Amino acid sequence: MEKKKKKKAQLPFRLNILFFVIFLLFSVLILQLGVVQILNGEDFQKEIDRTVQDTTKIPVPRGKIYDKNHDVVVDNKPLYSITYTPPKGVQAKDRLDVAKDLAKYISMDSPEVLEGITDRNKREYWYLENKEEAVGRLSDEAKEELDDTDEYNETLKLITDDEIDDFTKEELEVIAIKKELDKAYSLTPQIVKNENVTPEEYARVAEHLDELPGINATTDWIREYPYGNTFKSMLGSITTQEEGILAEKEEYYLTRGYSRNDRVGKNGLEEQYEEVLRGRKEQIQYTTDKSGRVLDSKTVVQGERGKDLVLTIDMEFQEKVDQIVREELNTALTQYSNPELEDALAVVINPQTGELLAVSAQHYDKKEKEFQNAAYKTLYDSHLPGSTIKGATVLAGYESGVITPGQTFYDRPLNFRSSPTKGSWRNLGVVNDLDALRMSSNVYMFYIAMRMGGKYSFEQNDRLIFTEDNYFQEMRNYFKQFGLGVKTGIDFPYEETGLVGETKPDSLLNYAIGQYDTFTTMQVAQYVSTIANDGYRVRPHFLKEIREPYPSENSLGPVKKSINTEVMNRIQMSQSHIERVQEGFRQAFQSPGGTGYSYYGDKDYNPAGKTGTAENEFFRDGKLIKTINLALVGYAPYDEPEMAFAINVPKLGTQSNQHSINHAIGERIMDAYFDLKEERDKEKNEENEE
Amino acid sequence: MSKKQSYYVQSDLIFLFILFVCVSLLSVYNAQQLEQYDGNNFVFKQIIWFAVGVCIVAAIQFLDLEQLYKASALIYGIGVLVLIALLVAPESIADRVNGAKSWFQFPGLSLQPAEFTKITTILFLAATISRHKTKHAVSSLKTDSLLLFKILLITAVPVFLILQQPDFGTSMVYLFIAGMLIILSGISWKIISGLILLISAIGAAALGFVVKFTDLAKELLGKQAYQVDRIMTWFEPSQPSNDASWHFDQAYMALGSGQLFGKGMDALQVSFPEAQTDFIFSVIGESFGFIGSALVIFLYFLLLYKLVTIGLNIHKHSPFGAYVCFGFLSLILVHAFQNIGMTLGIMPVTGIPLLLISYGGSSILSTMIGLGIVYRVAVEHSIQSDYLFK
């Protein structure tokens, strides 16, 4: 009986204990609930209320470039464009979904695009579509050993070639779209397709934007060059979206608010005036809550397209100069024996303002057998200028006091002990300073150089020893006042300053006749401009004006900034000395016996200038190759110069019946300039009469 | 109302049930406002499930407890067969969801058999225990061992099948129910304490092994190696957060932000997945605050109390009925504690619904079936006690 009683009590007893345990468990729940909700609740609420603000920058079109006459040189061609701005925390799978949806509305089947799909793109696609199977293939040991990235890469490797071989065209399009989507940075627009977007595609996407998270239908632009390759190497180019900002200047761009995939000027004027052309991006600030929902968006910075550039270049004239240089180069190549000849360079500048009117270099590519516009060579390549710089030598002579105007020397070959004999192109007899420039006397220049070195008396077979110590530095310093051997200050990202040789007495004599240091055509142009401009050395520039972007597409906005003439320095020499050299230059072109008289003596635009021939010897494969550079500088009209030019054609053959290419180019350039001017004046008058 | 009819009105059970329905519909409605699963009207579907459930409860009242008792073995057998059928079913009607083959999927309807076999297993366990107790009025260590063996065997079959899906969480629920019934079946403390010791020893050894020789353990488990990682994360709470824990953090934050009074209807600020099912308690917490959440916990406490009372009262007349009550009690208890505990961050994260509140046809229907049987037991008690006091 007792036993039975115990049994009876067993269940209620255990139930009581159990129920007590339940009570305890539930108390724990309530307690913890209190901790979470009452103790920490406020912090959680704060966390929820915290919002995040992100700014999206929307690119604006780049500024255009116009020439002097307001003709468009670099234009923006608008393109329909489909962009993708990924929301925060978007996964590969999400992008695939977007790609699949987008594939319904646009086609991505151009051959280049399809060829651009890599094996890896296909594998990633297959992986996403067959994730379980793909992951299952990797052995457990491998999963354990590898980190996530390696594991993913291994898994991709295990996908067989067969599996990624027979995608349908539709699937390939999805892969191609996804590839573009994958490139996007969070909250930064990425172009998915902008070439060949048809208006239909654009409309279809625009209609379905709400189904396509992150996708937008906008207009993009590409650079267009109405003048083709003319002047293109100076205009430069911009990076593609793939290239983005230039890696070597990454910090520079990022601190200035660029996105990594922004297109920037990568060389030429596009690089030089990047700040002006880029414009101001529209900035939209999104306020999102913790879960990424957009609560608010507002435009914090109104966008504005880039400002326009107006250049000093006259494209019509530029085209003519290009043509002249190309034709004469062609003549020299085809009708004369010039095996080393490749380039012909010419710079035309307004000597009073520094405005560059035409900058041309033609390069003959012997392999491709074609002429190329290579205007940049006028800044990048330096050549021996020959006698064209004798104006600077004579002025250095005056200024250093070793000669005075009217000084005469006897021009005949000078024999030196232990250095080669040096002479003029022919024996000129007694010459004064003007004769020396007119007939291009080397010997006159040698005397100036020797005197600057301290050697006033010369006997044939003398040893060439100078008593002055810094004779070479003194001569170079005079030259630098003209821009020879220093930067011209041009508004271009790069310019060469030329080769500087060792300083020996013998070399100074060569330097004095343009046979030693090399100079760029731009430097020589600045030198002749300085002489034409009464000693004022002005900065050469391509930019004439910056114009505000104008709302209307095809007209220029108001002037934002005009580039004024900038005098970099005035040479030390007195006005009368300069005028003496100007007269020498005039006689060279306009007086009988002048080296250019036969070409320019009858020109009614009154040119002045100086010819130059430089011996250009170099070794190739241990063999000495002798060539000459034919150069020419000049300006016109003599009394009120409005154009100055420098021409250099390096590496011509040494034969005596050579094509006078420097004169041919110089004459035609000046003719073209004044013909065009006359034509323009006539047009203007006719317009005024109407 | 005639006397006979009044037996069928168990007003306290009905009252509790109505409260649960209200809580469920309000919180599912709120969860739905997060619009994460667009186009699904969960509230409407939940109403239908409850309505179907009420019909089932009503239908069960026509059954005799004696009939259920006799049929329990058959019902249990059917349940096991369904679980087997699920395992061998083609993927077209039983596709894997999150890697587990736990659902039959028919157009417009998904069923999770393991939910239903909980009830069939409880029924058969209750029948087995009560049959054993009538047969062996006087218990000895020997008879107790036999009963223990029976209980373990009956539980082991569905647990084994469910582990094949694999669904670790649900099989743990079965083990918990079996454990509760072992304690309440009156088996000697000696055996029970022995059993507890044995399990603890094996468990501790296994855990120690895993922690100490993690790599070896993974090798032995082969494809199930991720289970080891799960265990290891208990010991390394500073693991970098992955997706799952991000979701949990969102739900935890939502719950906490409800503070004392909650944000009211239609005012949820945080969205997280499974808000209407496994994480419904977070929705309750955010919407109704500490007061509302505590009331819901209290509601479960009341339900458990009611089940204890019914079981205690009837066990003299119908041990079968009593053990059904205790089994159902265990089921409600483990779900409520695990689910709420998980939401509160004191239990590990498993996909176990909050019975009677979480959205879901299978869990609602199976719970309603259980509730129907318990209701029938309560009715039986009313009849019996009335009869006794006449």
Side-chain angles (χ1 to χ4, degrees), chain B residues 7-75:
Chain B
Y7 298 141
Y8 289 94
V9 181
Q10 297 291 323
S11 47
D12 34 8
L13 273 180
I14 292 173
F15 182 62
L16 277 175
F17 174 68
I18 289 172
L19 285 180
F20 271 111
V21 171
C22 291
V23 172
S24 173
L25 294 182
L26 287 178
S27 46
V28 170
Y29 171 81
N30 265 354
Q32 192 170 306
Q33 301 312 308
L34 292 172
E35 293 179 348
Q36 303 183 81
Y37 303 89
D38 256 357
N40 275 316
N41 191 343
F42 294 125
V43 177
F44 178 72
K45 286 190 185 168
Q46 186 82 332
I47 289 173
I48 294 193
W49 292 125
F50 274 125
V52 172
V54 169
C55 296
I56 292 176
V57 172
I60 288 172
Q61 305 318 310
F62 290 102
L63 297 174
D64 208 317
L65 274 188
E66 196 63 22
Q67 288 170 322
L68 269 178
Y69 175 76
K70 282 177 183 157
S72 64
L74 179 67
I75 294 170

Side-chain angles (χ1 to χ4, degrees), chain B residues 168 203-212 214 217-218 221 224-237 239 348:
Chain B
F168 186 74
L207 208 59
F209 178 76
V210 166
V211 174
K212 192 106 187 177
T214 314
K218 282 188 181 178
L221 277 168
Q224 307 289 316
Y226 68 93
Q227 302 278 19
V228 174
D229 290 332
R230 269 192 179 176
I231 292 171
M232 292 308 290
T233 56
W234 296 348
F235 296 94
E236 295 163 42
Q239 285 275 319

Side-chain angles (χ1 to χ4, degrees), chain A residues 262-319:
Chain A
D262 275 346
R263 287 182 287 174
V264 298
K266 69 175 167 188
N267 44 40
L269 294 173
E270 293 270 22
E271 181 186 356
Q272 180 75 23
Y273 291 108
E274 172 66 27
E275 286 289 323
V276 180
L277 291 166
R278 64 182 284 213
R280 190 173 61 218
K281 289 190 204 175
E282 179 166 295
Q283 295 191 20
I284 299 176
Q285 191 177 61
Y286 293 100
T287 307
T288 51
D289 65 9
K290 260 221 97 211
S291 49
R293 258 185 309 196
V294 176
L295 302 174
D296 181 39
S297 71
K298 64 171 183 226
T299 307
V300 282
V301 175
Q302 206 75 46
E304 183 184 84
R305 79 170 179 84
K307 296 178 185 64
D308 295 332
L309 303 183
V310 176
L311 301 184
T312 59
I313 296 288
D314 179 334
M315 283 306 274
E316 195 180 344
F317 182 54
Q318 171 77 36
E319 277 185 321

Side-chain angles (χ1 to χ4, degrees), chain A residues 3 7-8 10-19 22-23 25-26 28-38 40-45 47-49 91 132 136 140-141 144 289-291 293, chain B residues 139 180 183-184 186-189 192 215 218 222-223 250 252-253 255-260 263 269-270 281 285 289-290 293-294 297 300-301 304-305 308 312 315 323 326 333 337 340-341 344 346:
Chain A
K3 211 174 185 179
K7 278 266 181 270
K8 292 258 153 121
Q10 197 181 42
L11 183 70
F13 174 68
R14 289 190 181 185
L15 263 182
N16 278 336
I17 292 180
L18 189 73
F19 198 68
I22 293 175
F23 175 76
L25 287 177
F26 275 51
V28 169
L29 289 184
I30 301 268
L31 204 67
Q32 173 69 5
L33 190 66
V35 170
V36 175
Q37 292 196 298
I38 296 172
N40 302 331
E42 220 167 308
D43 294 340
F44 285 126
Q45 188 59 47
E47 179 73 15
I48 291 168
D49 292 340
Q91 302 291 314
E132 266 182 42
D140 292 323
E141 296 88 64
E144 191 182 317
D289 65 9
K290 260 221 97 211
S291 49
R293 258 185 309 196
Chain B
S139 64
M180 289 287 281
I183 293 171
L184 294 176
I187 290 176
S188 160
W189 277 116
I192 292 175
D215 297 342
K218 282 188 181 178
K223 275 207 161 185
Q250 291 290 104
Y252 189 65
M253 188 168 73
L255 172 77
S257 71
Q259 301 185 50
L260 188 59
K263 298 174 187 170
Q269 290 178 298
V270 188
F281 195 74
F290 175 78
S293 318
I297 294 177
Y300 276 106
F301 189 72
L304 295 179
Y305 173 74
V308 168
L312 202 57
H315 94 279
Y323 285 105
F326 299 147
L333 172 64
F337 187 76
I340 297 174
L344 288 173
I346 53 176

Side-chain angles (χ1 to χ4, degrees), chain A residues 167-182:
Chain A
F167 284 123
T168 63
K169 207 179 115 216
E170 285 72 29
E171 282 173 313
L172 285 174
E173 284 190 56
V174 172
I175 295 172
I177 293 171
K178 180 171 171 291
K179 185 183 160 197
E180 295 302 317
L181 301 186
D182 289 345

